[in-house]
Amino acid sequence: MKSILLALVSILFVSCLSDAGTSKPVDYTVQNEKEIVDYVAKNHLTATRTDSGLYYVVNEAGTGTQPTATSNVTVAYKGYFTNGNVFDESKAEGISFGLNQVIKGWTEGIPYFKAEGSGILLIPAHLGYGSNDSGPIPGGSVLVFEVKLISVN
């Protein structure tokens, strides 16, 4: 009898352990949409929404080359949450990278600007880091980026 009880307790313990590391992704789409719409209204922005849920604001369209989703670009940026807390910022000279190597919100959003253009990207979690934490960014976060497309390389 003791061995049956011990076996049942062991099975329960093991089955609880196997669920511990596998959390299902959370869908933040509705919450993120409301947060972005509220942010746009509060800050009196004229933003365009894409079918994917990305919002963008073009402050300066730019006059240079327009990148594609696979272009290598140099961008200066400041990233923050809708509450204004900054989580990352580049130097004025920007950083260079391939648009196919970054979060989906950048891959989709940066091509709305031409070189020397600037604006704002409002990125819902599913186009950013999803429901996963990434450094100082909690899962489910809306990301706001002020961007200046310095060049298309």
Side-chain angles (χ1 to χ4, degrees):
M1 185 67 157
K2 283 184 178 179
S3 56
I4 292 174
L5 183 59
L6 182 60
L8 287 174
V9 168
S10 296
I11 290 171
L12 277 171
F13 182 74
V14 170
S15 66
C16 288
L17 281 179
S18 64
D19 289 343
T22 58
S23 60
K24 294 181 182 172
V26 177
D27 185 357
Y28 291 97
T29 306
V30 174
Q31 294 160 264
N32 286 174
E33 181 73 15
K34 181 180 181 342
E35 186 176 339
I36 292 171
V37 168
D38 290 349
Y39 181 87
V40 166
K42 178 183 174 189
N43 292 281
H44 309 291
L45 299 174
T46 302
T48 302
R49 184 187 189 281
T50 69
D51 290 342
S52 70
L54 172 75
Y55 283 76
Y56 66 94
V57 177
V58 176
N59 294 332
E60 293 178 47
T63 57
T65 306
Q66 189 155 11
T68 66
T70 58
S71 295
N72 186 287
V73 296
T74 301
V75 177
Y77 69 91
K78 178 170 144 182
Y80 51 94
F81 303 112
T82 56
N83 66 7
N85 291 343
V86 176
F87 58 81
D88 195 14
E89 188 169 5
S90 72
K91 293 183 178 176
E93 62 270 14
I95 61 167
S96 297
F97 51 84
L99 283 176
N100 58 351
Q101 300 171 325
V102 292
I103 60 173
K104 292 177 186 176
W106 276 55
T107 303
E108 179 184 348
I110 295 295
Y112 288 110
F113 306 95
K114 292 180 181 175
E116 301 174 12
S118 65
I120 301 170
L121 299 176
L122 298 124
I123 303 175
H126 69 276
L127 297 176
Y129 297 100
S131 53
N132 301 314
D133 294 350
S134 181
I137 302 170
S141 295
V142 169
L143 308 176
V144 181
F145 287 97
E146 293 176 11
V147 296
K148 177 163 182 58
L149 178 55
I150 296 170
S151 64
V152 179
N153 308 322

Coordinates of all heavy atoms in Angstrom, one line a residue, residues 56-134:
Y56 N 2.0 53.8 -37.1 CA 3.2 54.6 -37.4 C 2.8 56.0 -37.7 O 1.7 56.3 -38.1 CB 4.0 54.0 -38.6 CG 3.3 54.0 -39.9 CD1 3.5 55.1 -40.8 CD2 2.4 53.0 -40.3 CE1 2.8 55.1 -42.0 CE2 1.8 53.0 -41.5 CZ 2.0 54.1 -42.4 OH 1.3 54.1 -43.6
V57 N 3.7 56.9 -37.4 CA 3.5 58.3 -37.6 C 4.8 58.8 -38.4 O 5.9 58.5 -38.0 CB 3.5 59.1 -36.2 CG1 3.4 60.6 -36.5 CG2 2.4 58.6 -35.4
V58 N 4.5 59.4 -39.5 CA 5.6 59.9 -40.3 C 5.7 61.4 -40.0 O 4.8 62.2 -40.3 CB 5.4 59.7 -41.8 CG1 6.5 60.4 -42.6 CG2 5.3 58.3 -42.2
N59 N 6.8 61.8 -39.3 CA 7.1 63.2 -39.1 C 7.8 63.9 -40.2 O 7.4 65.0 -40.6 CB 7.9 63.4 -37.8 CG 7.1 62.9 -36.5 OD1 5.9 63.0 -36.5 ND2 7.9 62.5 -35.5
E60 N 8.7 63.2 -40.8 CA 9.4 63.6 -42.0 C 9.5 62.4 -42.9 O 10.1 61.4 -42.5 CB 10.8 64.1 -41.7 CG 10.9 65.4 -40.9 CD 12.3 65.8 -40.5 OE1 13.2 65.8 -41.5 OE2 12.6 66.1 -39.4
A61 N 9.0 62.4 -44.1 CA 9.0 61.3 -45.0 C 10.4 60.9 -45.4 O 10.7 59.8 -45.7 CB 8.1 61.6 -46.2
G62 N 11.3 61.9 -45.6 CA 12.6 61.7 -46.1 C 12.6 61.8 -47.6 O 11.6 61.8 -48.2
T63 N 13.8 61.9 -48.1 CA 14.0 62.2 -49.6 C 14.8 61.1 -50.2 O 15.0 61.1 -51.5 CB 14.6 63.6 -49.8 OG1 15.8 63.7 -49.2 CG2 13.6 64.7 -49.4
G64 N 15.4 60.3 -49.5 CA 16.4 59.3 -50.0 C 15.7 58.0 -50.4 O 14.5 57.9 -50.7
T65 N 16.5 57.0 -50.4 CA 16.0 55.6 -50.8 C 15.0 55.1 -49.8 O 15.2 55.3 -48.6 CB 17.2 54.7 -50.9 OG1 18.2 55.2 -51.7 CG2 16.8 53.3 -51.4
Q66 N 14.0 54.4 -50.3 CA 13.1 53.7 -49.4 C 13.5 52.2 -49.2 O 13.7 51.5 -50.2 CB 11.7 53.8 -50.0 CG 10.6 53.3 -49.0 CD 9.3 54.0 -49.3 OE1 9.1 54.6 -50.4 NE2 8.3 53.8 -48.4
P67 N 13.7 51.8 -48.0 CA 14.1 50.4 -47.8 C 13.0 49.4 -48.0 O 11.8 49.8 -48.0 CB 14.6 50.4 -46.3 CG 13.7 51.5 -45.7 CD 13.5 52.5 -46.7
T68 N 13.4 48.2 -48.1 CA 12.5 47.0 -48.1 C 12.7 46.2 -46.9 O 13.6 46.5 -46.1 CB 12.7 46.1 -49.4 OG1 14.0 45.5 -49.2 CG2 12.7 46.9 -50.7
A69 N 11.9 45.2 -46.7 CA 12.0 44.4 -45.5 C 13.3 43.6 -45.3 O 13.6 43.1 -44.3 CB 10.8 43.4 -45.4
T70 N 14.1 43.6 -46.4 CA 15.4 42.9 -46.3 C 16.6 43.8 -46.5 O 17.7 43.4 -46.5 CB 15.5 41.8 -47.5 OG1 15.3 42.5 -48.7 CG2 14.4 40.8 -47.3
S71 N 16.3 45.1 -46.5 CA 17.4 46.1 -46.6 C 18.3 46.2 -45.3 O 17.8 45.9 -44.2 CB 16.8 47.5 -46.8 OG 16.2 47.6 -48.0
N72 N 19.5 46.6 -45.5 CA 20.4 46.9 -44.4 C 20.3 48.4 -44.2 O 20.4 49.2 -45.2 CB 21.8 46.5 -44.7 CG 22.7 46.7 -43.5 OD1 23.0 47.8 -43.2 ND2 23.1 45.6 -42.9
V73 N 20.0 48.9 -43.0 CA 19.7 50.3 -42.7 C 20.6 50.8 -41.5 O 21.1 50.0 -40.8 CB 18.2 50.5 -42.4 CG1 17.4 50.2 -43.7 CG2 17.8 49.8 -41.2
T74 N 20.7 52.1 -41.4 CA 21.2 52.7 -40.2 C 20.1 53.6 -39.7 O 19.6 54.5 -40.4 CB 22.5 53.6 -40.6 OG1 23.5 52.7 -41.2 CG2 23.1 54.2 -39.3
V75 N 19.8 53.4 -38.4 CA 18.7 54.0 -37.7 C 19.2 54.5 -36.4 O 19.8 53.8 -35.6 CB 17.5 53.1 -37.5 CG1 16.4 53.7 -36.8 CG2 17.0 52.5 -38.9
A76 N 18.8 55.8 -36.1 CA 18.9 56.3 -34.7 C 17.5 56.2 -34.1 O 16.5 56.4 -34.8 CB 19.4 57.8 -34.7
Y77 N 17.5 55.8 -32.8 CA 16.2 55.5 -32.2 C 16.2 55.8 -30.7 O 17.2 55.8 -30.1 CB 15.7 54.1 -32.5 CG 16.6 53.1 -31.8 CD1 16.2 52.6 -30.5 CD2 17.7 52.6 -32.3 CE1 17.0 51.7 -29.8 CE2 18.5 51.7 -31.7 CZ 18.1 51.2 -30.4 OH 18.9 50.3 -29.7
K78 N 15.0 55.9 -30.2 CA 14.8 55.9 -28.7 C 13.6 55.1 -28.5 O 12.5 55.3 -29.1 CB 14.5 57.4 -28.3 CG 14.2 57.5 -26.8 CD 14.3 58.9 -26.4 CE 13.2 59.3 -25.4 NZ 13.3 60.7 -25.0
G79 N 13.7 54.0 -27.7 CA 12.6 53.1 -27.4 C 12.1 53.3 -26.0 O 12.9 53.4 -25.0
Y80 N 10.8 53.4 -25.9 CA 10.2 53.6 -24.5 C 8.8 53.0 -24.5 O 8.2 52.6 -25.5 CB 10.1 55.1 -24.1 CG 9.5 56.0 -25.2 CD1 8.2 56.4 -25.1 CD2 10.3 56.5 -26.2 CE1 7.6 57.2 -26.1 CE2 9.8 57.4 -27.1 CZ 8.4 57.7 -27.1 OH 7.9 58.6 -28.0
F81 N 8.3 52.9 -23.3 CA 6.9 52.3 -23.1 C 5.9 53.5 -23.2 O 6.3 54.7 -23.1 CB 6.8 51.7 -21.7 CG 7.8 50.5 -21.5 CD1 8.9 50.7 -20.6 CD2 7.7 49.4 -22.3 CE1 9.8 49.7 -20.5 CE2 8.7 48.4 -22.1 CZ 9.7 48.5 -21.2
T82 N 4.6 53.2 -23.2 CA 3.6 54.2 -23.3 C 3.6 55.1 -22.1 O 3.0 56.2 -22.2 CB 2.2 53.6 -23.6 OG1 1.9 52.7 -22.6 CG2 2.2 53.0 -25.0
N83 N 4.2 54.7 -21.0 CA 4.2 55.5 -19.8 C 5.4 56.5 -19.8 O 5.7 57.3 -18.9 CB 4.2 54.7 -18.5 CG 5.5 53.9 -18.4 OD1 6.5 54.0 -19.1 ND2 5.5 53.0 -17.4
G84 N 6.2 56.4 -20.9 CA 7.4 57.3 -21.1 C 8.7 56.8 -20.6 O 9.7 57.4 -20.9
N85 N 8.7 55.6 -19.9 CA 9.9 55.1 -19.4 C 10.8 54.5 -20.6 O 10.3 53.6 -21.3 CB 9.7 54.0 -18.4 CG 9.1 54.5 -17.1 OD1 9.2 55.7 -16.8 ND2 8.5 53.6 -16.3
V86 N 12.0 55.0 -20.7 CA 12.9 54.7 -21.8 C 13.5 53.3 -21.4 O 14.0 53.1 -20.3 CB 14.0 55.7 -22.0 CG1 15.0 55.3 -23.1 CG2 13.3 57.1 -22.4
F87 N 13.6 52.4 -22.4 CA 14.3 51.1 -22.2 C 15.5 51.0 -23.1 O 16.3 50.1 -22.8 CB 13.3 49.9 -22.4 CG 12.7 49.8 -23.8 CD1 13.4 49.3 -24.8 CD2 11.4 50.3 -23.9 CE1 12.8 49.3 -26.1 CE2 10.8 50.2 -25.2 CZ 11.5 49.7 -26.3
D88 N 15.6 51.8 -24.1 CA 16.8 51.7 -25.0 C 16.9 52.9 -25.8 O 15.9 53.6 -26.2 CB 16.7 50.4 -25.9 CG 18.0 50.1 -26.5 OD1 19.1 50.6 -26.1 OD2 18.0 49.3 -27.5
E89 N 18.2 53.3 -26.2 CA 18.4 54.4 -27.0 C 19.7 54.3 -27.7 O 20.7 53.9 -27.1 CB 18.3 55.7 -26.2 CG 18.4 57.0 -27.0 CD 18.1 58.2 -26.1 OE1 17.9 58.1 -24.9 OE2 18.0 59.3 -26.7
S90 N 19.7 54.6 -29.0 CA 21.0 54.6 -29.8 C 21.7 55.9 -29.6 O 21.2 56.9 -29.1 CB 20.7 54.3 -31.3 OG 20.2 55.4 -31.9
K91 N 23.0 55.9 -30.1 CA 23.7 57.1 -30.2 C 23.2 57.9 -31.4 O 22.5 57.3 -32.3 CB 25.2 56.9 -30.3 CG 25.8 56.2 -29.1 CD 27.3 56.0 -29.2 CE 27.8 55.4 -27.9 NZ 29.2 55.1 -28.0
A92 N 23.5 59.2 -31.5 CA 23.0 60.0 -32.6 C 23.4 59.5 -34.0 O 22.6 59.6 -35.0 CB 23.5 61.4 -32.5
E93 N 24.5 58.8 -34.1 CA 24.9 58.3 -35.4 C 24.2 57.0 -35.8 O 24.3 56.5 -36.9 CB 26.5 58.1 -35.5 CG 27.0 57.1 -34.5 CD 27.4 57.7 -33.1 OE1 27.1 58.8 -32.8 OE2 28.1 56.9 -32.4
G94 N 23.4 56.5 -34.8 CA 22.6 55.3 -35.1 C 23.3 54.0 -35.1 O 24.5 53.9 -34.8
I95 N 22.6 52.9 -35.4 CA 23.2 51.6 -35.6 C 22.7 51.0 -36.9 O 21.7 51.4 -37.4 CB 22.8 50.7 -34.4 CG1 21.3 50.5 -34.3 CG2 23.3 51.2 -33.1 CD1 20.8 49.3 -33.4
S96 N 23.5 50.1 -37.4 CA 23.2 49.5 -38.7 C 22.8 48.0 -38.5 O 23.4 47.3 -37.6 CB 24.4 49.5 -39.6 OG 24.7 50.9 -39.9
F97 N 21.9 47.6 -39.2 CA 21.4 46.2 -39.1 C 20.5 45.9 -40.3 O 20.1 46.8 -41.1 CB 20.6 46.0 -37.9 CG 19.5 47.0 -37.7 CD1 18.3 46.8 -38.3 CD2 19.7 48.1 -36.9 CE1 17.3 47.8 -38.1 CE2 18.8 49.1 -36.8 CZ 17.5 48.9 -37.4
G98 N 20.3 44.6 -40.5 CA 19.4 44.1 -41.6 C 18.0 44.1 -41.0 O 17.7 43.7 -39.9
L99 N 17.0 44.7 -41.8 CA 15.6 44.7 -41.3 C 15.0 43.3 -41.1 O 14.0 43.2 -40.5 CB 14.8 45.5 -42.3 CG 14.9 47.1 -42.1 CD1 14.1 47.8 -43.1 CD2 14.5 47.5 -40.7
N100 N 15.6 42.3 -41.7 CA 15.2 40.9 -41.5 C 15.8 40.3 -40.3 O 15.6 39.1 -40.0 CB 15.4 40.1 -42.7 CG 16.9 40.0 -43.1 OD1 17.7 40.8 -42.6 ND2 17.2 39.2 -44.0
Q101 N 16.5 41.1 -39.5 CA 17.2 40.6 -38.3 C 16.6 41.2 -37.0 O 17.2 41.0 -35.9 CB 18.7 40.9 -38.3 CG 19.4 40.3 -39.5 CD 20.8 40.8 -39.6 OE1 21.1 41.9 -39.4 NE2 21.7 39.8 -40.1
V102 N 15.5 41.9 -37.1 CA 15.0 42.7 -35.9 C 13.5 42.3 -35.7 O 13.0 41.4 -36.4 CB 15.1 44.2 -36.1 CG1 16.5 44.6 -36.1 CG2 14.4 44.6 -37.4
I103 N 12.9 42.8 -34.7 CA 11.5 42.5 -34.4 C 10.6 42.8 -35.6 O 10.9 43.7 -36.4 CB 11.0 43.2 -33.1 CG1 11.1 44.7 -33.2 CG2 11.7 42.7 -31.9 CD1 10.4 45.5 -32.1
K104 N 9.5 42.1 -35.7 CA 8.6 42.3 -36.8 C 8.1 43.7 -37.0 O 7.9 44.2 -38.1 CB 7.4 41.4 -36.7 CG 7.8 39.9 -36.8 CD 6.5 39.0 -36.6 CE 6.9 37.6 -36.6 NZ 5.7 36.7 -36.3
G105 N 7.9 44.4 -35.9 CA 7.4 45.8 -35.9 C 8.4 46.7 -36.7 O 8.0 47.7 -37.4
W106 N 9.7 46.5 -36.5 CA 10.7 47.3 -37.2 C 10.8 46.8 -38.7 O 10.9 47.7 -39.6 CB 12.1 47.1 -36.6 CG 12.3 48.0 -35.4 CD1 11.5 48.1 -34.3 CD2 13.3 49.0 -35.3 NE1 12.0 49.1 -33.5 CE2 13.1 49.6 -34.0 CE3 14.4 49.3 -36.0 CZ2 14.0 50.6 -33.5 CZ3 15.3 50.3 -35.5 CH2 15.1 50.9 -34.3
T107 N 10.7 45.5 -38.9 CA 10.8 45.0 -40.3 C 9.7 45.6 -41.1 O 9.9 46.0 -42.3 CB 10.7 43.5 -40.3 OG1 11.8 43.0 -39.5 CG2 10.8 42.9 -41.7
E108 N 8.5 45.7 -40.5 CA 7.3 46.3 -41.2 C 7.3 47.8 -41.2 O 7.0 48.4 -42.2 CB 6.0 45.8 -40.6 CG 4.8 46.3 -41.2 CD 3.5 45.9 -40.5 OE1 3.5 45.1 -39.6 OE2 2.5 46.6 -40.8
G109 N 7.7 48.4 -40.1 CA 7.6 49.8 -40.0 C 8.6 50.7 -40.6 O 8.3 51.8 -41.2
I110 N 9.9 50.3 -40.6 CA 11.0 51.2 -41.1 C 10.8 51.5 -42.6 O 11.0 52.6 -43.0 CB 12.4 50.6 -40.8 CG1 12.6 50.6 -39.3 CG2 13.5 51.4 -41.5 CD1 12.7 51.9 -38.6
P111 N 10.3 50.5 -43.4 CA 10.1 50.8 -44.8 C 9.0 51.9 -45.1 O 8.8 52.3 -46.3 CB 9.7 49.5 -45.4 CG 10.4 48.5 -44.5 CD 10.2 49.1 -43.2
Y112 N 8.3 52.4 -44.1 CA 7.4 53.5 -44.3 C 8.1 54.8 -44.4 O 7.5 55.9 -44.7 CB 6.3 53.6 -43.2 CG 5.3 52.5 -43.3 CD1 5.2 51.5 -42.4 CD2 4.4 52.5 -44.4 CE1 4.3 50.4 -42.5 CE2 3.4 51.4 -44.5 CZ 3.4 50.4 -43.5 OH 2.5 49.4 -43.7
F113 N 9.4 54.8 -44.1 CA 10.2 56.0 -44.2 C 11.2 55.9 -45.3 O 11.7 54.8 -45.6 CB 11.0 56.3 -42.9 CG 10.1 56.3 -41.7 CD1 9.9 55.1 -40.9 CD2 9.4 57.4 -41.3 CE1 9.0 55.1 -39.8 CE2 8.6 57.4 -40.2 CZ 8.4 56.3 -39.5
K114 N 11.6 57.0 -45.9 CA 12.7 57.1 -46.8 C 14.0 57.5 -46.0 O 13.8 58.1 -44.9 CB 12.5 58.0 -48.0 CG 11.4 57.6 -48.9 CD 11.2 58.6 -50.0 CE 10.0 58.1 -50.9 NZ 9.7 59.1 -51.9
A115 N 15.1 57.3 -46.6 CA 16.4 57.8 -45.9 C 16.2 59.3 -45.6 O 15.6 60.0 -46.3 CB 17.6 57.6 -46.8
E116 N 16.7 59.6 -44.4 CA 16.6 60.9 -43.8 C 15.2 61.2 -43.2 O 14.9 62.3 -42.8 CB 17.0 62.0 -44.7 CG 18.5 61.8 -45.2 CD 18.9 62.8 -46.2 OE1 18.2 63.8 -46.5 OE2 20.0 62.6 -46.8
G117 N 14.3 60.3 -43.3 CA 12.9 60.4 -42.7 C 12.9 60.1 -41.2 O 13.8 59.4 -40.7
S118 N 11.8 60.5 -40.6 CA 11.7 60.2 -39.1 C 10.3 60.1 -38.7 O 9.4 60.6 -39.4 CB 12.4 61.3 -38.3 OG 11.7 62.5 -38.4
G119 N 10.1 59.5 -37.6 CA 8.7 59.3 -37.1 C 8.6 58.4 -35.9 O 9.6 58.2 -35.2
I120 N 7.5 57.8 -35.7 CA 7.2 57.0 -34.5 C 6.6 55.7 -34.9 O 5.7 55.7 -35.8 CB 6.2 57.8 -33.5 CG1 6.8 59.1 -33.1 CG2 5.9 56.9 -32.3 CD1 5.9 60.0 -32.4
L121 N 7.1 54.6 -34.3 CA 6.5 53.3 -34.5 C 5.8 52.9 -33.2 O 6.5 53.0 -32.1 CB 7.5 52.3 -34.9 CG 8.3 52.5 -36.2 CD1 9.3 51.4 -36.4 CD2 7.3 52.5 -37.4
L122 N 4.6 52.5 -33.2 CA 3.9 52.0 -32.0 C 3.6 50.5 -32.2 O 2.8 50.2 -33.1 CB 2.6 52.8 -31.8 CG 2.8 54.3 -31.5 CD1 2.0 55.1 -32.5 CD2 2.5 54.6 -30.1
I123 N 4.4 49.7 -31.5 CA 4.4 48.3 -31.8 C 3.8 47.4 -30.8 O 4.2 47.4 -29.6 CB 5.9 47.9 -32.0 CG1 6.6 48.7 -33.1 CG2 6.0 46.4 -32.3 CD1 8.1 48.5 -33.2
P124 N 2.7 46.7 -31.1 CA 2.0 45.8 -30.2 C 2.9 44.6 -29.9 O 3.8 44.3 -30.7 CB 0.8 45.4 -30.9 CG 1.0 45.6 -32.4 CD 2.0 46.7 -32.5
A125 N 2.7 43.9 -28.8 CA 3.5 42.8 -28.4 C 3.7 41.8 -29.4 O 4.9 41.2 -29.6 CB 3.0 42.2 -27.1
H126 N 2.7 41.4 -30.2 CA 2.9 40.3 -31.2 C 3.8 40.7 -32.3 O 4.3 39.8 -33.1 CB 1.5 39.8 -31.7 CG 0.8 40.8 -32.6 ND1 0.0 41.8 -32.1 CD2 0.8 40.9 -34.0 CE1 -0.5 42.5 -33.1 NE2 0.0 42.0 -34.2
L127 N 4.1 42.0 -32.5 CA 5.1 42.4 -33.5 C 6.5 42.8 -32.8 O 7.4 43.2 -33.4 CB 4.6 43.6 -34.3 CG 3.4 43.3 -35.1 CD1 2.9 44.6 -35.8 CD2 3.6 42.2 -36.1
G128 N 6.5 42.6 -31.5 CA 7.7 42.9 -30.7 C 8.3 41.6 -30.1 O 8.7 40.7 -30.8
Y129 N 8.1 41.5 -28.8 CA 8.7 40.3 -28.1 C 7.6 39.4 -27.6 O 7.9 38.5 -26.8 CB 9.6 40.8 -26.9 CG 10.8 41.5 -27.4 CD1 10.8 42.9 -27.4 CD2 11.8 40.9 -28.0 CE1 11.9 43.6 -27.9 CE2 12.9 41.6 -28.5 CZ 12.9 42.9 -28.5 OH 14.0 43.6 -29.0
G130 N 6.4 39.6 -28.0 CA 5.3 38.7 -27.6 C 5.0 38.7 -26.1 O 5.1 39.7 -25.5
S131 N 4.8 37.5 -25.6 CA 4.5 37.4 -24.2 C 5.8 37.1 -23.4 O 5.7 36.8 -22.2 CB 3.4 36.4 -23.9 OG 3.7 35.2 -24.5
N132 N 6.9 37.1 -24.0 CA 8.2 36.8 -23.4 C 8.9 38.1 -22.9 O 8.9 39.1 -23.6 CB 9.2 36.1 -24.4 CG 8.6 34.8 -24.9 OD1 8.0 34.0 -24.1 ND2 8.6 34.6 -26.2
D133 N 9.5 38.0 -21.7 CA 10.3 39.1 -21.2 C 11.6 39.2 -22.1 O 12.1 38.1 -22.5 CB 10.7 38.9 -19.8 CG 9.6 39.0 -18.8 OD1 8.5 39.4 -19.3 OD2 9.8 38.6 -17.6
S134 N 12.1 40.4 -22.4 CA 13.4 40.5 -23.1 C 14.2 41.6 -22.4 O 13.9 42.8 -22.7 CB 13.1 40.8 -24.6 OG 14.4 40.9 -25.2

